[in-house]
Amino acid sequence: MSSVQVAFESQSAICTAAGAPFTGRLCRLVGERLDQGTAIGRRLLSWSGNPSHEGDALPLRLMGGLHALARDGRHPQWAAVYPPATAPDDDTLWALLDRVLAEEGVFLDPWLDGPPQTNEVGRSAALMAGLLVLADRVQLPFALYELGASAGLNSQLDRYGYLLGQTRAGDGASPVQLIPRWHGASPPSAEVKVVARHAVDRNPLDVRSEATRKMLAAYVWADQLQRLERLEAALDMAAQHPVTIDRDDAADWLEKTLTVTSEPGVCRVAMHTIAFQYFPPEAQQRIRDHMDKVGQGATADRPLAWLSFEASDQGGPERRPLLKLRVWPDGGETQLAVCQPHGAEIFWEQD
């Protein structure tokens, strides 16, 4: 079995386990039946990089293109098999997919050119839980510094509503309400007040652009209609309150933007979700070094925090993300939770 076939088989397992069986079926069928008969097939099967979800995420590039094609409406037969419709049997579905790969190569090919661009709003639930812990501890408002912000939707997290275990937070009237499946004790009740938002991405997305909306929607797994509705609501809100996202390298930006000295009465928080792992090793180390450097100057009325939602180094097809919080002036780090990758389920580890 080639590395490309393994990548599609692995992504099929991940999607199916995460409640996206249709997307899982498509990945499985491509892995089992794709051949060199189409230009897209030849490009996929001769992929020279790392096709896995930990590398180039090749299956998700193709799934994004296929979902975009279904949403575009240019191929009614293809759109007709997508959720909420009931898809046909494997042989019928593959025959249609094989035809789509042959007929729609010009549409699909650009989707293979770059990695999936996502901005998963559900992860804000984990971030908010971390900020509740931090707010309870420091009793100060926050200035946020988001790395790998994409369209900046998670920088808007205080504008969403939450039920985290038994703890309500955020805006109860918000059109975006996040209620993850919760295990363990509830996070503390506290006021999360955001007074400044800073964000960076190598390829920031404009929430006011129709192209951005279409692309982000295409990368949501088609089975997960609730995620799609939540994304659209968050994009509508962000268009009314856009966050300025700087186009820069994360390490360069942090070194320039998160200064050693700061005004009293605000807790500065560097945060990121499934982004740090994609930074080059030297950039990761520079970020660690800079956080330590800035942290040395932190005080009780000028605290610094680092909140991360990143895949663990442990095994398993999903490598479930860990929610971690590090706070200066003492610099101690706490693992707060183990999470489902999209934030849909949170296993809280604090009393």
Side-chain angles (χ1 to χ4, degrees):
M1 185 178 292
S2 72
S3 62
V4 171
Q5 290 172 308
V6 169
F8 275 93
E9 182 181 83
S10 176
Q11 190 63 58
S12 174
I14 291 171
C15 291
T16 302
F22 175 75
T23 306
R25 279 184 72 195
L26 292 182
C27 287
R28 175 175 58 80
L29 288 171
V30 172
E32 292 173 350
R33 307 191 187 194
L34 186 69
D35 58 29
Q36 304 272 355
T38 64
I40 287 289
R42 291 189 291 274
R43 184 177 180 190
L44 289 167
L45 292 172
S46 62
W47 196 259
S48 59
N50 175 5
S52 79
H53 63 280
E54 295 176 345
D56 298 336
L58 183 61
L60 293 184
R61 297 185 190 202
L62 179 62
M63 292 304 112
L66 290 170
H67 192 192
L69 179 64
R71 292 175 63 85
D72 183 79
R74 59 183 282 160
H75 200 296
Q77 280 188 286
W78 183 240
V81 302
Y82 264 68
T86 300
D89 62 86
D90 279 1
D91 289 341
T92 304
L93 182 59
W94 172 252
L96 177 59
L97 174 53
D98 194 36
R99 200 176 96 207
V100 164
L101 294 176
E103 295 176 353
E104 300 291 347
V106 172
F107 181 95
L108 295 172
D109 194 67
W111 287 86
L112 304 184
D113 291 342
Q117 180 73 285
T118 60
N119 201 174
E120 179 48 57
V121 181
R123 294 169 185 157
S124 282
L127 293 178
M128 175 55 75
L131 290 182
L132 287 169
V133 171
L134 186 59
D136 184 63
R137 175 172 172 176
V138 303
Q139 301 289 308
L140 292 172
F142 298 123
L144 304 180
Y145 295 76
E146 187 179 7
L147 310 179
S150 187
L153 299 185
N154 289 321
S155 287
Q156 310 263 9
L157 80 174
D158 56 312
R159 296 188 170 117
Y160 310 147
Y162 304 86
L163 179 59
L164 307 172
Q166 299 301 313
T167 302
R168 293 194 178 274
D171 182 355
S174 173
V176 176
Q177 296 292 318
L178 298 173
I179 309 174
R181 297 187 299 278
W182 194 272
H183 305 269
S186 302
S189 293
E191 181 184 11
V192 173
K193 182 178 181 181
V194 177
V195 294
R197 304 170 208 271
H198 312 274
V200 66
D201 198 279
R202 278 191 174 276
N203 181 31
L205 300 179
D206 182 357
V207 294
R208 296 160 296 189
S209 163
E210 187 62 25
T212 291
R213 297 180 70 101
K214 288 181 177 180
M215 180 178 65
L216 289 177
Y219 282 123
V220 173
W221 298 342
D223 320 59
Q224 299 180 329
L225 302 180
Q226 186 178 34
R227 282 180 67 203
L228 278 167
E229 292 170 358
R230 188 172 62 206
L231 171 65
E232 290 165 356
L235 285 167
D236 288 341
M237 291 179 64
Q240 298 173 29
H241 308 281
V243 174
T244 298
I245 305 170
D246 297 324
R247 184 184 298 273
D248 205 347
D249 170 83
D252 288 345
W253 178 85
L254 195 68
E255 290 168 350
K256 291 180 292 189
T257 307
L258 189 70
T259 58
V260 173
T261 58
S262 65
E263 294 296 322
V266 175
C267 178
R268 295 183 293 170
V269 184
M271 66 181 199
H272 44 83
T273 63
I274 314 297
F276 198 78
Q277 67 191 63
Y278 297 114
F279 301 160
E282 63 271 22
Q284 293 180 6
Q285 190 57 52
R286 285 172 58 197
I287 290 169
R288 294 188 193 99
D289 291 345
H290 188 66
M291 293 297 293
D292 280 328
K293 178 182 176 181
V294 176
Q296 288 175 10
T299 62
D301 66 340
R302 292 181 173 88
L304 174 70
W306 187 354
L307 183 60
S308 65
F309 178 104
E310 295 290 342
S312 73
D313 295 328
Q314 301 167 8
E318 287 186 285
R319 294 179 63 212
R320 289 207 158 199
L322 305 178
L323 180 68
K324 294 183 177 182
L325 176 65
R326 189 176 179 191
V327 186
W328 290 264
D330 62 69
E333 182 178 75
T334 303
Q335 181 171 304
L336 299 177
V338 179
C339 307
Q340 189 270 347
H342 300 140
E345 188 170 27
I346 296 177
F347 297 83
W348 193 246
E349 298 187 344
Q350 303 302 299
D351 295 330

